[in-house]
Amino acid sequence: MPWTWNLHPREFMPQRDLKKYPIWFTDFSHSYPSWTPLFNWMWCYALYHGEVYAINETWLPTIRSSELRTLDGCSLDSSIRIPDEAEIKQREANFRKFIMEDYAPNWDGILSDLRSEIAGLSIKFRKYNYDEATQYELYKIFREAIQYLYRMWETHFYLIYPMFNAYWCCAEIVEEYTGMKELSPPWHRLIRGYDNELFAQDRALWELRTRALELKTADVFQSNAASDVIPALKKTVPGREWVETALHEFLFDKGYGWRAPRMMEFINPVWWEDPTPVVAHIQQYLSLSTDANEPFPLDKIRPRLVEERETLTRELIEKVKAAHYPDMDWFLALLSVSQRTSSFSEGHDVVWEQGTFSTFRYCVRKIGERLVRAGTMESPDDMFFFIPDELELFIACPEAYDLREIVAERRKNWIAQKEYKSRPAIISARKMTPEEINAHHVAVHDPMITKISTGEYAPPRPETGAICFGNCGSPSGVTEGRARMVVHEPDVYQVQPGDIMVCPAMSSGWTPVLPLIKGIVTNGGGALGHACVVGREYDIPVVSQTNNATMVIKDGERIRVDADQGLVFRV
């Protein structure tokens, strides 16, 4: 037997964790498929610290933190309400002051300063001379990299938690004073019509496809497997120009190479290491259109959404005012913050998750190369099967350890966990109805869990004849198409024009395929989850938080999605 130990004490223990917390939610939005141990540790420790830091620095009223546990490589989320109502009342006053005096009026400056800080830290770790460093210097830079993760999550949640709580407060005021519900089509139309940095990357991908058409190399993309396209292109003068000029500029000059197919992991190669995903997405775009003059599809959609949003915003403000809401300054501050959610929710990934995780991967693998030479492990990727407390031992004294057996065991477990496709959406001490779950959400008022990871639970409506029951995630009516099951990253490249993506939750790393698909159906995710945000911007139907779509719908079957009603039918 290989030597082993428990990874850390934040592994889920029902006898401990169900005593105080009535329910735990599987985080389909981020931890599906299962993570490697290093990323799992980072989520349970560095991310958790970021939540505690931001929630209390910005005075969220009802919680002191979200709680995190890990079960077989996936995250479980929960939270409980602060029991002291006097403390909540004081925190409410402090939160209001923070939003009105600091956050809302200074948003652009806060975002710019923190973005520059994290981007600067990323550059440091990308340019560090790992090859010339001593073993002790590698030990020190690794410890600095761990603190880099902690700081990333501090700044990440400092921006997100107050924004999403303000969004929730705004939605509550709107429902009380106008009757408009958060998950209704009119509300979704109020918060869309924005660009973001991920869409900018996708637009640059489209331009790579256009350049391939201009150089008359599209046939090379269309007649080869994605992994064979670049070697085939290098055999011709126009092909070499595409690889050496257009692709190089995209990956390195513009910096888009620091993106991975799955943002929420360390083990996946980034685009500059392996540009096969870039090629695969260009192949998908060529299957959609071979007109070199065709604009990026999103650019044709947004002007209409912007005009619609601006009209609805003016009408909403007048309705709230006419209903005699007592503090319009507070409402307008909340509304201005709420309407930033769509752009920021996806756009921040470029510097925060995407930029930080790919940089940390680079740092860890460069150190891993030294451990491979010392005989400690066989591959730099073996580093991702250990947590920092373990890695510090191995980096300081690599000659003292032979990790091959334990790596093999942990890799085997990880692969087995990745294939498990029917995880329960919730774990609770007793069976709970959708109404009870939603009452828990409202009482706790944790915006990360309710608005991103999980969302409101929709009761079954068997009388409709639907096979899945969820929420309206994008106000785009009804569509029909072939169900395309997307669970693992390679599944993304099988998406064809006209497909409806069915997934545990939408990953922000999958945005390049949005021009192809007709709709999205998810197991989990709230109104500010990735599927709802990007689906709204592309004006495609989204049904979110069905709990069981990937278990009920079969890959390849034809389905009808009624987004406005939150229903999915088998055709």
Side-chain angles (χ1 to χ4, degrees):
M1 287 289 293
W3 51 277
T4 187
W5 49 74
N6 290 332
L7 288 174
H8 52 73
R10 293 180 187 175
E11 293 172 289
F12 182 67
M13 298 171 59
Q15 66 273 29
R16 175 194 67 187
D17 297 322
L18 288 173
K19 281 184 177 180
K20 294 286 188 178
Y21 293 88
I23 187 169
W24 291 85
F25 302 93
T26 301
D27 186 355
F28 290 116
S29 296
H30 302 101
S31 64
Y32 198 98
S34 301
W35 291 317
T36 51
L38 184 56
F39 195 93
N40 193 311
W41 176 94
M42 184 275 301
W43 198 266
C44 289
Y45 284 81
L47 179 141
Y48 174 76
H49 163 76
E51 289 184 336
V52 174
Y53 170 90
I55 286 169
N56 293 283
E57 290 285 335
T58 66
W59 296 103
L60 256 69
T62 57
I63 57 173
R64 297 195 197 97
S65 179
S66 300
E67 273 279 29
L68 301 169
R69 297 291 185 270
T70 176
L71 179 62
D72 295 334
C74 278
S75 176
L76 299 179
D77 302 343
S78 191
S79 51
I80 56 176
R81 184 180 175 92
I82 294 172
D84 185 348
E85 292 300 320
E87 180 182 347
I88 290 176
K89 192 172 184 63
Q90 182 60 55
R91 291 175 74 102
E92 285 174 347
N94 292 343
F95 177 74
R96 178 190 177 95
K97 184 175 185 291
F98 173 76
I99 293 293
M100 292 292 288
E101 297 181 8
D102 297 329
Y103 193 81
N106 301 312
W107 163 258
D108 291 331
I110 295 170
L111 174 61
S112 177
D113 289 346
L114 295 182
R115 188 186 191 282
S116 296
E117 178 187 349
I118 299 306
L121 288 171
S122 298
I123 291 171
K124 172 184 178 178
F125 290 103
R126 293 173 188 178
K127 291 188 173 181
Y128 185 81
N129 190 343
Y130 298 92
D131 295 331
E132 299 297 326
T134 66
Q135 204 66 43
Y136 176 57
E137 288 168 338
L138 292 180
Y139 172 85
K140 289 197 297 182
I141 198 67
F142 176 75
R143 288 179 61 86
E144 284 187 46
I146 294 299
Q147 294 308 309
Y148 164 56
L149 293 178
Y150 274 86
R151 182 56 181 161
M152 184 277 279
W153 284 120
E154 287 181 350
T155 57
H156 175 279
F157 284 123
Y158 187 88
L159 292 165
I160 280 187
Y161 262 109
M163 172 178 282
F164 289 3
N165 198 61
Y167 164 95
W168 197 345
C169 294
C170 183
E172 290 171 332
I173 293 170
V174 169
E175 181 173 357
E176 181 179 353
Y177 282 82
T178 74
M180 182 192 300
K181 294 183 179 294
E182 179 207 4
L183 295 174
S184 67
W187 174 263
H188 288 303
R189 295 187 180 104
L190 274 164
I191 57 172
R192 68 178 183 176
Y194 296 94
D195 204 359
N196 68 58
E197 292 183 61
L198 275 183
F199 290 160
Q201 291 187 347
D202 299 344
R203 186 179 291 104
L205 267 174
W206 185 268
E207 292 166 359
L208 277 179
R209 157 248 176 225
T210 300
R211 187 59 182 148
L213 288 166
E214 293 170 347
L215 291 169
K216 302 188 185 308
T217 58
D219 60 314
V220 180
F221 288 86
Q222 294 166 319
S223 61
N224 287 279
S227 58
D228 298 330
V229 167
I230 290 179
L233 285 170
K234 289 180 177 179
K235 294 178 181 178
T236 68
V237 172
R240 285 196 297 274
E241 181 177 342
W242 188 90
V243 173
E244 295 170 6
T245 302
L247 180 61
H248 186 277
E249 178 183 324
F250 175 86
L251 295 175
F252 299 101
D253 297 343
K254 294 180 178 178
Y256 296 153
W258 293 93
R259 177 172 178 171
R262 184 183 184 189
M263 291 187 189
M264 297 299 169
E265 247 299 358
F266 297 138
I267 200 169
N268 299 98
V270 297
W271 284 358
W272 67 258
E273 293 178 90
D274 177 10
T276 303
V278 175
V279 172
H281 288 314
I282 292 171
Q283 290 175 323
Q284 289 173 314
Y285 287 167
L286 288 168
S287 73
L288 189 64
S289 170
T290 54
D291 180 358
N293 296 314
E294 180 74 16
F296 184 53
L298 189 58
D299 294 337
K300 297 184 292 183
I301 299 168
R302 184 172 298 115
R304 172 174 56 84
L305 304 188
V306 171
E307 182 179 357
E308 178 184 63
R309 183 193 73 234
E310 291 175 346
T311 299
L312 289 171
T313 299
R314 290 191 295 270
E315 292 174 355
L316 175 67
I317 292 171
E318 290 305 314
K319 285 181 181 179
V320 174
K321 190 181 298 182
H324 306 293
Y325 180 69
D327 191 343
M328 287 302 295
D329 288 341
W330 174 237
F331 174 70
L332 292 175
L334 293 176
L335 181 60
S336 71
V337 171
S338 300
Q339 291 185 315
R340 299 178 188 271
T341 54
S342 288
S343 176
F344 177 72
S345 180
E346 305 307 288
H348 80 276
D349 284 346
V350 171
V351 169
W352 273 266
E353 287 94 331
Q354 179 178 299
T356 303
F357 297 159
S358 60
T359 302
F360 185 76
R361 165 185 166 79
Y362 177 72
C363 171
V364 169
R365 290 190 86 256
K366 290 298 290 183
I367 296 172
E369 290 174 4
R370 185 74 63 86
L371 270 62
V372 169
R373 292 198 292 272
T376 313
M377 55 184 61
E378 292 183 352
S379 165
D381 280 358
D382 292 348
M383 298 280 284
F384 302 118
F385 292 92
F386 298 93
I387 65 174
D389 288 350
E390 298 172 312
L391 289 173
E392 287 182 11
L393 291 173
F394 312 149
I395 296 168
C397 300
E399 301 84 358
Y401 296 93
D402 181 347
L403 306 174
R404 288 171 293 183
E405 284 188 283
I406 194 168
V407 167
E409 185 71 16
R410 290 187 182 178
R411 186 181 289 273
K412 178 182 176 182
N413 291 339
W414 173 63
I415 292 171
Q417 291 165 359
K418 284 181 68 177
E419 295 304 318
Y420 185 48
K421 297 181 181 180
S422 57
R423 291 176 182 269
I426 64 172
I427 297 175
S428 55
R430 61 174 179 82
K431 187 174 182 179
M432 300 178 72
T433 66
E435 292 77 14
E436 289 175 316
I437 296 169
N438 292 336
H440 172 81
H441 280 314
V442 171
V444 174
H445 218 278
D446 184 330
M448 287 298 295
I449 292 178
T450 304
K451 301 306 175 187
I452 298 182
S453 301
T454 304
E456 184 177 314
Y457 271 64
R461 289 166 278 168
E463 70 279 2
T464 63
I467 59 172
C468 292
F469 313 97
N471 297 320
C472 173
S474 173
S476 306
V478 180
T479 190
E480 286 189 14
R482 177 180 55 193
R484 179 68 67 179
M485 200 69 59
V486 178
V487 177
H488 303 288
E489 304 87 65
D491 301 336
V492 177
Y493 311 115
Q494 304 305 313
V495 173
Q496 300 297 318
D499 285 349
I500 296 174
M501 183 186 296
V502 181
C503 50
M506 173 82 182
S507 167
S508 53
W510 301 345
T511 58
V513 303
L514 288 167
L516 285 77
I517 61 177
K518 295 175 68 175
I520 306 171
V521 182
T522 71
N523 290 357
L528 296 179
H530 300 302
C532 296
V533 171
V534 299
R536 284 192 294 260
E537 297 299 336
Y538 270 86
D539 197 26
I540 57 176
V542 177
V543 173
S544 65
Q545 191 59 24
T546 66
N547 298 312
N548 62 356
T550 59
M551 292 161 256
V552 173
I553 300 170
K554 297 175 183 172
D555 186 56
E557 71 175 328
R558 193 165 185 83
I559 58 175
R560 182 168 71 253
V561 175
D562 185 338
D564 292 356
Q565 299 299 316
L567 300 173
V568 182
F569 301 85
R570 182 173 286 120
V571 178

